[in-house]
Amino acid sequence: MSDLRDAAMNSKAWPFEEARRVLKRYESGPPEKGHVLFETGYGPSGLPHIGTFGEVARTTMIRKAFEVISDIPTRLVCFSDDMDGMRKVPDNVPDVEALKPHLQKPLTDVPDPWGTHESFGHHNNAKLRSFLDAFGFEYEFVSATEFYRAGKFDDTLLRAAERYDDLMEVMLKSLREERQQTYSIFLPIHPETGRVLYVPIKNVDAKDGTVTFDDETGREFTVPVTGGNVKLQWKPDFGARWAALDVDFEMYGKDHSTNTPIYDRICEVLGGKKPEHFTYELFLDEKGEKISKSKGNGLTIDEWLTYASTDSLGYYMFQKPKTAKRLSWDIIPKTVDEYHQQLRAYATQDAEKRLANPVYHVHGHDVPESTMVVSFAMLLNLASVSGAEDKETLWGFIVRYAPDASPETNPDLDQAAGFAVRYYEDFVKPHKVFRAPDEKEEAAIRDLAARLQAYDGPIEDEALQTLVFAVGKDHGFEPLRDWFKALYEVLLGASQGPRFGGFVALYGIEETLALIDRALSGELA
């Protein structure tokens, strides 16, 4: 373990770099609270998306890295801002009109449009928790509503009333002059309508711990700041939460980065120590637009898991967190195959390289062995040419290619075969476009067929790839990628694919010859 810790203290993998920053907070001794607290925040205004999952996955990677370099216990809190008022009705819910009368109410007081939970906030919290549970995350879930209404935020709120002027000074600097006139860090909850009110505060009584305001009709009310009668505006709430929970680490998206000094200062004014933070780049949909819970654009977690394993998604989240990431269907096959490449590499790596390998951060000390003897990209091509409607059809080809493979001994391959059939049906098949070969390509493909017909060597990827390669070279394709592109477009209806020699080995020489005959006779194009 000491060798592993030594390697971890010098690892350039970003989770270890972040973990060392957290450890530095306690160079003089362990925290008084007895643990290091990692937190992720969640706004349950819509169904959780992969970006939400990414925060928890990446924070967990840093937490696990911290546990390698330190013996201080850790906790991970997933905090839901479910007391926020519903500012607009999301586009992707049933019966949008039915929710409109509940605008500005806390999300946990808005009826659940699906009718399955106590409220809209409870519904979205349940979705988040079920997603996180499916990935085996170790976390504690905290509801802002419960936190406010059960009095767990009371000490911090009373301190906010005492230091109101200092907190307002922090906030007013960041606001336009027009906004400054009506702004308050406190948002009262209307005692009668239950709505979160964005109204000027007439008086803050630090001694009594109350705020006085006029509602939209001009009636005056005085309510205590405690017990869930008010909530904090979102920026003060961010920093106040850090102070109340004594948070040591939180990450968030780039869109929050300009607010970091505000969050930090709010935390400090309220007597807390600002946490370490990590800003990640945003997730984009296929159009390059930021994904949004309310719009429902971009991939959902459920959608990813329809076509690939949970571990492949964890691998995707590890990659370059400070680079904007596009979340669209076409990244799934590439991600699955890269994940298995890294699994295979891990088995032969030393401690230093293992700690830099993404799969270590996905699995910790229990990295599985890959049994994917056929790539996901190859399975997609096999599904395409065989017309497979189930994974059993693919296994008929796989066992001929790899006689020792089976669904029992190769569970990840078995799972991937099922995913490949589903992915092919939904995303590849509708977009397949075959074309006829030009004169040069047709001559080369006929030559390839003749050489395959006469071939009596081993049915292996490399040998067959060499044969295909030689045909392209002999027919003057320069660059050779044009030859392979022609093969994919004429025979597979796609512009790219895995190594063609490997495809022939898997699909079979006789079957490939039949495919070439169909293409040259005009049956495919």
Side-chain angles (χ1 to χ4, degrees), residues 12 24 43 206 230 370 432:
K12 290 184 172 58
K24 240 181 166 180
V230 306
S370 172
K432 281 173 69 171

Side-chain angles (χ1 to χ4, degrees), residues 495-509:
S495 59
Q496 57 186 354
R499 287 160 61 88
F500 197 79
F503 167 75
V504 176
L506 177 62
Y507 188 46
I509 288 179

Side-chain angles (χ1 to χ4, degrees), residues 356-369:
N357 189 322
V359 298
Y360 175 83
H361 300 277
V362 174
H363 296 285
H365 301 298
D366 192 22
V367 176
E369 180 183 348

Side-chain angles (χ1 to χ4, degrees), residues 143-405:
S143 157
T145 302
E146 193 268 339
F147 203 75
Y148 271 99
R149 292 177 180 171
K152 296 177 183 179
F153 216 7
D154 283 358
D155 288 347
T156 302
L157 290 164
L158 289 168
R159 197 172 300 123
E162 291 170 7
R163 302 176 186 178
Y164 183 75
D165 290 341
D166 293 337
L167 294 168
M168 285 293 289
E169 185 182 352
V170 174
M171 290 307 306
L172 292 178
K173 289 177 186 173
S174 69
L175 302 173
R176 299 188 309 274
E177 186 175 347
E178 179 187 350
R179 182 87 170 94
Q180 290 176 356
Q181 307 308 314
T182 59
Y183 183 85
S184 171
I185 62 167
F186 290 119
L187 300 177
I189 312 298
H190 197 291
E192 295 172 358
T193 67
R195 284 180 161 78
V196 180
L197 299 181
Y198 289 79
V199 294
I201 298 296
K202 295 169 71 174
N203 184 55
V204 177
D205 188 326
K207 182 171 174 291
D208 290 342
T210 61
V211 294
T212 301
F213 61 94
D214 289 343
D215 72 4
E216 305 98 316
T217 67
R219 290 185 298 160
E220 182 177 283
F221 291 89
T222 297
V223 298
V225 298
T226 54
N229 290 289
V230 306
K231 74 175 299 294
L232 292 169
Q233 290 260 18
W234 71 274
K235 290 179 187 176
D237 189 80
F238 221 109
R241 197 169 71 224
W242 288 348
L245 294 172
D246 192 10
V247 173
D248 291 296
F249 179 91
E250 180 157 357
M251 67 163 55
Y252 39 79
K254 181 183 177 183
D255 49 347
H256 281 275
S257 60
T258 55
N259 297 322
T260 297
I262 297 172
Y263 304 154
D264 284 348
R265 187 63 192 134
I266 294 288
C267 177
E268 291 169 339
V269 170
L270 290 171
K273 180 182 179 181
K274 65 183 182 182
E276 305 304 312
H277 11 66
F278 179 95
T279 304
Y280 59 84
E281 264 288 358
L282 302 179
F283 293 91
L284 310 174
D285 65 12
E286 65 276 4
K287 297 176 184 173
E289 297 176 356
K290 178 189 168 187
I291 61 172
S292 159
K293 289 187 291 292
S294 58
K295 282 185 188 174
N297 61 330
L299 286 175
T300 67
I301 300 175
D302 277 347
E303 286 167 339
W304 184 291
L305 299 185
T306 301
Y307 305 103
S309 70
T310 56
D311 296 333
S312 67
L313 180 54
Y315 170 84
Y316 181 77
M317 288 300 161
F318 176 86
Q319 301 292 82
K320 299 180 180 176
K322 289 190 176 288
T323 300
K325 301 178 83 64
R326 193 169 57 86
L327 280 164
S328 58
W329 307 106
D330 57 352
I331 64 171
I332 293 177
K334 179 174 179 286
T335 301
V336 171
D337 284 338
E338 284 183 2
Y339 164 70
H340 282 279
Q341 286 167 12
Q342 295 289 0
L343 282 183
R344 287 189 287 272
Y346 185 86
T348 60
Q349 289 173 331
D350 59 22
E352 181 183 341
K353 287 183 178 174
R354 283 186 168 187
L355 294 184
N357 189 322
V359 298
Y360 175 83
H361 300 277
V362 174
H363 296 285
H365 301 298
D366 192 22
V367 176
E369 180 183 348
S370 172
T371 63
M372 282 278 286
V373 294
V374 177
S375 71
F376 193 75
M378 193 72 82
L379 290 171
L380 288 176
N381 278 284
L382 186 58
S384 176
V385 296
S386 66
E389 296 182 353
D390 53 51
K391 64 182 180 181
E392 286 72 27
T393 302
L394 299 188
W395 270 106
F397 294 95
I398 293 169
V399 294
R400 187 175 61 185
Y401 172 77
D404 294 334

Side-chain angles (χ1 to χ4, degrees), residues 59-78:
T59 303
T60 296
M61 290 173 186
I62 297 167
R63 180 190 183 191
K64 296 299 184 188
F66 182 87
E67 291 171 350
V68 174
I69 64 173
S70 173
D71 296 321
I72 302 173
T74 64
R75 291 172 60 207
L76 171 59
V77 165
C78 182

